[in-house]
Amino acid sequence: MEFRTYLQTIQRIVSMPEEHIITKVSELSTPKCPVCGSTLVVRIGYITKSNGLKVQRFKCKMCGRTFTELEGTPLKGVHDIKLTLLVAYLMLHLRLEPNTIARITGKPYTTVKRISRKVIEHRRFFENILAVLLDAADYSETYWHRAKSANEYC
């Protein structure tokens, strides 16, 4: 993949509406109560974050616990969802180190390092969400090309 394609993909991630990202994340799994594990839940409105982003709230019919659609995902509690996905893309596809990513994004190294730990810990989740958000053909080509070249050295 050429450099221009990487830049276009980065631009797509940065310009993507956060509502779209959250919708795709919630499509990957059904809402489940974090306390009792029940999937018998009802929608009870939205939480509006400081940036205007609306996140769906749920209430468990079994235990009464309330939670959001991001509960149980690595994106729960994340302040900047786009930055997290950008770091995931730069780490998983371009294999950049956190210090390089910090220089590229202009974010503090400690912030990027914290996000990169989360990306490493939940690698499968971030690979799946990037595959859903980005064109499957572009993502698959990059991912499998990288996986194949990594296996050649093993």
Side-chain angles (χ1 to χ4, degrees):
M1 200 182 253
E2 65 181 64
F3 183 70
R4 184 184 327 239
T5 308
Y6 289 127
L7 288 177
Q8 290 171 346
T9 304
I10 290 168
Q11 181 60 36
R12 284 177 52 204
I13 292 170
V14 171
S15 64
M16 202 173 290
E18 288 186 343
E19 291 85 7
H20 178 68
I21 296 168
I22 290 176
T23 301
K24 294 299 181 183
V25 168
S26 62
E27 287 175 3
L28 289 177
S29 63
T30 58
K32 184 170 74 169
C33 178
V35 175
C36 68
S38 173
T39 56
L40 297 171
V41 298
V42 293
R43 296 172 187 255
I44 58 169
Y46 294 92
I47 291 175
T48 304
K49 293 191 166 202
S50 60
N51 62 358
L53 176 67
K54 288 186 175 184
V55 179
Q56 179 70 55
R57 289 182 64 216
F58 295 95
K59 183 173 183 176
C60 178
K61 288 183 174 182
M62 300 302 284
C63 68
R65 164 80 191 258
T66 61
F67 57 96
T68 69
E69 61 189 324
L70 295 178
E71 189 82 35
T73 71
L75 295 179
K76 176 167 176 29
V78 171
H79 295 282
D80 193 344
I81 294 173
K82 290 181 187 181
L83 176 63
T84 304
L85 291 177
L86 182 60
V87 169
Y89 177 75
L90 294 172
M91 285 184 66
L92 299 175
H93 289 278
L94 302 183
R95 294 185 172 192
L96 297 178
E97 296 294 323
N99 58 350
T100 306
I101 296 171
R103 277 186 263 136
I104 290 171
T105 60
K107 300 295 181 183
Y109 172 76
T110 54
T111 301
V112 173
K113 185 66 176 170
R114 179 177 34 81
I115 293 170
S116 67
R117 277 190 231 115
K118 184 177 281 203
V119 169
I120 291 167
E121 183 180 342
H122 302 283
R123 180 184 191 112
R124 171 83 67 210
F125 170 84
F126 286 105
E127 287 173 347
N128 289 340
I129 193 64
L130 285 170
V132 169
L133 290 172
L134 303 173
D135 288 339
D138 290 344
Y139 185 85
S140 297
E141 177 185 322
T142 305
Y143 178 73
W144 292 115
H145 175 70
R146 181 178 51 78
K148 181 181 174 185
S149 63
N151 287 336
E152 289 175 358
Y153 300 109
C154 296

